[in-house]
Amino acid sequence: MAETVTTIDNHVIDLKDLKYYDGRRRTEITKEITDATKDKVDKVAGKGLSTNDLTDELLAKINASGTSNFSGSYNDLTDKPVDATASKAGFMSADDKQKLDAIEEGANKYIHPAHTAVASGLNKLTVDELGHVTASIPVVKADITALGIPAQDTTYTAATQTKDGLLAADDKTKLDGIAAGAQANVIETVKVNGAALTPTSKAVDITVPTKVSQITNDSKFQTEDEVEATVTGKGYQTAAQVETAITGKGYQTAQQVYSTVNTAISGLKTFGTEFVDELPATGDAKTMYFVPKTGGVSGNTYTEYMWNDAAKAFEKVGDTEIDLSGYMKKTDIEFASFADIDTIFAAE
């Protein structure tokens, strides 16, 4: 391993300390030490150097450098480079880097050309190929007349039937009173049944009959009273007279019959049924009572009873169960063959 400590004029120098100097100074000291020690001899135990090869000037520089107590952290260094400013070089900050990256390659600083300020008004402008206004001259009357506009003031009169012009207030009122799409309708003559009527104050009053008495009865129509007199004169009766005659004989009208029948029907009680475990003490003649049958089978589980008002007792209506024990079943019947029939006829 190479030594990192050397002795010059009885001063111990740790060469590792040189790395903390700036690059230029470190190079100078390293060169000076190299030049001063290029002819050195190795130390031998028990012996000393025969000559002092470290110059006084070099020794003074080393002594002036002082001792180093550096911790090894960059933050503990003094006189470190700082971020660059507009007046001093230094490190580039992150914000400056972002700004620099946002600038296109070859971009330059654009300065808009300055021009003389012009107040608002009617002006003639001159624009260069870059779109910059380079001149502004107020418009004068000659500029306007050069466009074909008359130099004198223009006046307009109200329109007439033969000349265009402004719309007069009266004409505007008249126009507003006309419906959209309206057209002129001129009625030359008004007649009633062929007889001409003369309008009065732009109006025609046509009298229309509203009563039969105002019309000539050339067809001999009769009034209600005349018809009634004619009918009664022939011996016929009116509806009211007929109704009076019928009711006087005791007959009833259809409405009276309908009312009487409805009243009678509403008093009728419909036939009903009632399922009980046993017969009550008394019953209703319009109700059939069903009492469970002992040993009944499906379809025949009740015995039916009706109440007899005259006898004040229940009558058994019947039992749906029929005793067919004395009857032959269909399966008991044996059909006769042709041979059986021949035997019967042969026996006769």
Side-chain angles (χ1 to χ4, degrees), residues 294-315:
T294 302
V297 295
S298 177
N300 186 26
T301 58
Y302 293 93
T303 301
E304 298 79 16
Y305 295 88
M306 293 287 294
W307 175 256
N308 186 342
D309 264 339
K312 302 299 180 185
F314 282 101
E315 293 286 342

Side-chain angles (χ1 to χ4, degrees), residues 87-170:
S87 59
K88 185 179 180 180
F91 285 130
M92 176 182 285
S93 64
D95 292 340
D96 288 343
K97 175 60 175 166
Q98 292 179 359
K99 182 177 181 181
L100 180 61
D101 290 344
I103 299 175
E104 294 183 3
E105 187 72 24
N108 60 344
K109 181 179 180 181
Y110 173 75
I111 300 177
H112 190 80
H115 297 279
T116 303
V118 179
S120 62
L122 186 59
N123 298 283
K124 296 187 296 181
L125 303 178
T126 302
V127 181
D128 63 14
E129 68 277 5
L130 299 177
H132 300 150
V133 177
T134 58
S136 176
I137 304 174
V139 174
V140 296
K141 187 174 183 180
D143 296 323
I144 297 176
T145 56
L147 298 175
I149 300 174
Q152 70 278 2
D153 294 337
T154 302
T155 59
Y156 298 92
T157 60
T160 67
Q161 292 185 354
T162 59
K163 184 179 179 181
D164 295 336
L166 298 176
L167 178 64
D170 292 342

